[in-house]
Amino acid sequence: MMPESVSPLEAKKLIEQGALLIDIRDRAEYLREHIPNARSVPLSDIAEGKRVDGAARQPVIFHCQSGMRTAQNATTLINAVNPAPVLLMTGGINAWKSAQLPTTEDKRQPLPIMRQVQIVAGTLILTGVVLGYTVNSGLFLLSGFVGAGLLFAGVSGWCGMASLLLKMPWNRPAK
C-alpha cells in the first residue's frame, strides 16, 4: 500500500496544522541543510525497527532529498508510525527549495559523503585522462582504477573511497 503524496506547499499547510515532518536522510545531510521544525530520524534507524516518537493522530509527513528514498521505503515508514496517517512529500527537500520555501543551512557542516565521492572520483578520472594524453599513456590506468572502484562499490554496496573520506578531518561535524 502506497501512502498519499503531498506537494511541499500542501506539506507546509499540514505542518502549520500540527502534522509531524520527518527527515529520513542521513544525520550529516540533515545537519548540512534541513527544513525548519523537521525531525531527523534516519532511514537506517527506521529500517532497524526504530519507531517515530510523537506520532499519534496527526499525519506524519516523510521526506528525503528527492523523494526516491521515501517512495522506495513506504512500507517501512508506515510501520514506523502505525496507526498514524502517513504522507510522502513529493520531490523531497529539493522540491521544497524549488517552491521557494525556507531551509536551515549550516555550511560549516561537511558535504554529504556521496557528493564528496563524486567530486574526488570525477577529479581523479579527469586527471587520469588529461595526464594520459599529455604525459604518459600509462596514466590512463588511474581512470580505469577509479572506474573499477566505483563498479565494485555499486555491486558490493561497500565504497572504499567513502570509508576513507569519512575519516578525513573535514568530515567531523562542526560544533
Side-chain angles (χ1 to χ4, degrees):
M1 178 176 128
M2 187 68 162
E4 185 180 331
S5 295
V6 293
S7 72
L9 292 173
E10 293 168 326
K12 184 178 184 299
K13 289 177 188 170
L14 290 168
I15 293 163
E16 289 168 353
Q17 296 168 5
L20 185 61
L21 180 63
I22 304 293
D23 187 331
I24 66 165
R25 298 173 305 147
D26 293 335
R27 186 81 176 137
E29 292 175 277
Y30 175 85
L31 290 172
R32 176 90 178 168
E33 182 177 29
H34 61 272
I35 297 170
N37 300 315
R39 286 184 35 203
S40 174
V41 183
L43 179 59
S44 57
D45 291 352
I46 294 170
E48 291 174 1
K50 179 175 181 175
R51 295 211 21 100
V52 176
D53 296 330
R57 297 189 197 292
Q58 289 294 339
V60 178
I61 304 168
F62 287 99
H63 84 86
C64 59
Q65 189 71 33
S66 66
M68 291 188 69
R69 278 180 272 188
T70 54
Q72 291 171 344
N73 295 281
T75 303
T76 304
L77 299 176
I78 290 168
N79 292 337
V81 298
N82 196 23
V86 171
L87 302 167
L88 305 181
M89 189 169 72
T90 307
I93 194 170
N94 290 343
W96 181 274
K97 292 189 307 186
S98 292
Q100 305 297 313
L101 296 170
T103 61
T104 301
E105 192 171 8
D106 183 357
K107 291 191 179 205
R108 296 175 301 141
Q109 298 296 331
L111 286 173
I113 197 66
M114 290 319 298
R115 281 195 51 203
Q116 291 182 48
V117 167
Q118 292 165 343
I119 291 167
V120 172
T123 301
L124 288 172
I125 291 169
L126 183 60
T127 300
V129 169
V130 169
L131 293 177
Y133 276 114
T134 60
V135 177
N136 183 323
S137 63
L139 292 169
F140 282 117
L141 291 173
L142 174 61
S143 299
F145 178 74
V146 174
L150 292 172
L151 176 63
F152 177 79
V155 170
S156 70
W158 182 82
C159 181
M161 188 181 296
S163 297
L164 181 64
L165 286 169
L166 281 169
K167 295 178 181 174
M168 293 294 126
W170 60 81
N171 280 323
R172 294 191 184 100
K175 296 183 182 204

